[in-house]
Amino acid sequence: MINLLDFNQAQLAEYFVGLGEKPFRAKQLMRWMHHFGVNDFEQMTDIAKSLREKLAATTTIAPPNVQLEQISNDGTRKWLVGAGTGNGVETVFIPEDDRGTLCISSQVGCALECTFCSTGRQGFNRNLSVSEIIGQLWLANHSLRQDPDYGMLPMSERIISNVVMMGMGEPLTNYDNVVTAMQIMLDDSAYGLSRRRVTLSTSGVVPAMDRLKEDCPVALAVSLHAPNDALRDVIVPINKKYPLKELMAACQRYLVKAPRDFVTFEYVMLDGVNDSFDHAKELINLVKDVPCKFNLIPFNPFPNSGYDTSRPDDIRRFRDVLMQAGHIVTTRKTRGDDIDAACGQLAGQVQDKTKRTTRPIVLERS
Ligand code: SAH
Ligand code: SF4
């Protein structure tokens, strides 16, 4: 059966035309499904009964199922979302005073093997479909609206004001599905988020970055984590394919059409690995031609990671060096500690199809 959550508005219009219906029905349906969160055709009262019956017979509006919901002491919530036999991905909601951010997964596992990432250590199973990606936003909205804390808010008020594609997986290696899902996030009939409130984080898949700026130019975050190729080759292995010179050039190209935008460079702080004074200096030189901000992420530990979180003094020193060079730097607070909801801790349930054995990590510490 066709799942209507797999379509963006243009694809839905095409589907309706195929049924002999008017294309504007797509707009109505997007509003019902995504804006009002309705998945029962019966409730869609401005759509003719005959069409509702036809849709109910041949299609469905089926978000993925929630296997587990956890709520942290600090209000962070995590859902384990089913993705077929034995598989699941994680979605995280982070409430803050001025915003509510949803962190969405794009794949079951990840094939890119960054050494400090729990998802990467688990291997790769498969790409999520559009309905499984946008379905995470659908589900989170649905679940939050049931909650007494949020349920009072009028539909016109967004509980989720920002989306970050920073959950499990590398979004740019599931390009078509991720772009379609983000188009639905930006669609005024659906979630109506501005493109600056949707952030895609990539470890640096250069050709896909060039496509993204044409197809769906959302805010870009790049997982840098090292200031030179020798170190980045080890901790973010896709660097061997797309080294830093190419990555920096791609960042510059991404910003050409949007001169007021910037790239957010994410930098995980690994004790004794990438957090020295010299690394900070080298980093400043590396990014000198890219309008950017920095987000320092204290490493979030997981069992047998082989890494330690940088000492607070080292993080402060690193931050100060960047700030003295005129950069805007934020240091990410770890949220949802008690439910393992932080960056890089998302494990879900991954049946590894890549048949990867647990790899030992060999690192030269500086
Ligand atoms: N695959 C994408 C998006 C998902 S990861 C990417 O790599 O950008 C989101 C962010 O968390 C990335 O910057 C990633 O490098 C970082 N991260 C991964 N593991 C981490 C860990 N254990 N502690 C802190 N940050 C981590
Ligand atoms: Fe994949 Fe991102 Fe983890 Fe690297 S950091 S393994 S790209 S999810």
Side-chain angles (χ1 to χ4, degrees):
M1 219 182 225
I2 287 171
N3 186 351
L4 296 181
L5 293 183
D6 277 316
F7 293 148
N8 63 19
Q9 191 173 155
Q11 293 164 336
L12 199 55
E14 208 173 299
Y15 179 72
F16 277 124
V17 170
L19 290 180
E21 296 287 338
K22 293 276 186 297
F24 75 84
R25 294 279 174 222
K27 198 178 183 122
Q28 286 178 309
L29 213 78
M30 292 302 277
R31 236 179 126 63
W32 280 117
M33 292 193 292
H34 296 291
H35 181 76
F36 293 112
V38 165
N39 62 346
D40 172 10
F41 294 109
E42 277 299 298
Q43 291 179 41
M44 304 181 178
T45 42
D46 59 356
I47 296 178
K49 196 160 192 323
S50 57
L51 177 57
R52 274 187 272 154
E53 281 168 1
K54 188 152 58 166
L55 288 174
T58 50
T59 70
T60 158
I61 301 170
N65 63 311
V66 172
Q67 301 185 332
L68 184 70
E69 176 170 2
Q70 286 173 287
I71 305 181
S72 157
N73 297 329
D74 67 12
T76 302
R77 290 166 192 240
K78 183 168 89 168
W79 295 271
L80 177 63
V81 174
T85 30
N87 284 312
V89 295
E90 290 176 334
T91 309
V92 177
F93 175 67
I94 305 140
E96 286 171 291
D97 292 343
D98 59 340
R99 67 179 76 182
T101 304
L102 193 71
C103 177
I104 289 184
S105 294
S106 56
Q107 298 180 316
V108 183
C110 184
L112 297 191
E113 309 194 325
C114 302
T115 51
F116 52 84
C117 172
S118 166
T119 308
R121 289 281 188 92
Q122 293 179 81
F124 175 73
N125 184 283
R126 67 172 175 86
N127 282 331
L128 294 180
S129 65
V130 176
S131 55
E132 289 171 322
I133 298 169
I134 201 66
Q136 295 171 61
L137 179 52
W138 194 100
L139 281 176
N141 259 323
H142 187 79
S143 162
L144 290 165
R145 290 262 171 219
Q146 315 282 310
D147 188 282
D149 285 352
Y150 296 103
M152 330 274 281
L153 294 174
M155 285 307 273
S156 55
E157 207 160 311
R158 292 192 181 95
I159 304 173
I160 297 167
S161 59
N162 294 65
V163 169
V164 294
M165 299 300 300
M166 292 188 186
M168 298 170 67
E170 166 50 52
L172 291 186
T173 57
N174 182 13
Y175 186 84
D176 290 342
N177 293 348
V178 165
V179 165
T180 305
M182 293 195 306
Q183 286 164 340
I184 301 171
M185 294 171 199
L186 305 190
D187 184 340
D188 283 335
S189 307
Y191 299 94
L193 296 176
S194 87
R195 63 174 193 88
R196 287 201 172 79
R197 287 181 176 270
V198 176
T199 301
L200 181 141
S201 174
T202 178
S203 53
V205 188
V206 165
M209 289 166 64
D210 284 322
R211 288 179 67 195
L212 186 68
K213 72 178 195 297
E214 304 300 328
D215 296 341
C216 195
V218 293
L220 185 70
V222 172
S223 296
L224 209 46
H225 307 321
N228 59 61
D229 284 321
L231 179 57
R232 198 166 189 268
D233 279 351
V234 178
I235 64 177
V236 185
I238 198 178
N239 193 69
K240 288 183 251 170
K241 198 158 174 192
Y242 306 113
L244 284 169
K245 192 158 178 273
E246 286 180 35
L247 182 56
M248 291 303 120
C251 290
Q252 280 181 283
R253 290 195 297 275
Y254 196 85
L255 299 178
V256 166
K257 275 205 220 140
R260 286 188 307 127
D261 283 12
F262 53 86
V263 170
T264 301
F265 286 122
E266 296 162 281
Y267 198 96
V268 60
M269 301 297 295
L270 302 164
D271 182 39
V273 175
N274 65 355
D275 62 351
S276 72
F277 178 84
D278 288 346
H279 287 130
K281 285 285 189 198
E282 206 178 358
L283 192 55
I284 293 166
N285 189 45
L286 175 73
V287 304
K288 63 182 186 314
D289 298 322
V290 184
C292 63
K293 292 184 182 175
F294 282 95
N295 190 0
L296 305 182
I297 317 174
F299 170 65
N300 291 308
F302 56 91
N304 305 317
S305 73
Y307 291 104
D308 293 317
T309 310
S310 298
R311 287 174 302 205
D313 277 354
D314 290 339
I315 297 178
R316 269 193 291 276
R317 178 187 58 190
F318 201 91
R319 181 199 61 192
D320 290 347
V321 175
L322 295 178
M323 284 171 85
Q324 275 154 20
H327 287 293
I328 294 174
V329 188
T330 50
T331 306
R332 193 174 291 174
K333 277 188 296 192
T334 287
R335 298 287 303 260
D337 244 354
D338 47 337
I339 58 170
D340 285 346
C343 253
Q345 288 184 322
L346 303 187
Q349 293 173 354
V350 182
Q351 306 255 322
D352 185 1
K353 282 198 176 156
T354 54
K355 294 281 174 278
R356 196 174 290 161
T357 52
T358 308
R359 292 170 303 280
I361 299 159
V362 185
L363 261 186
E364 303 244 331
R365 303 217 161 198
S366 57

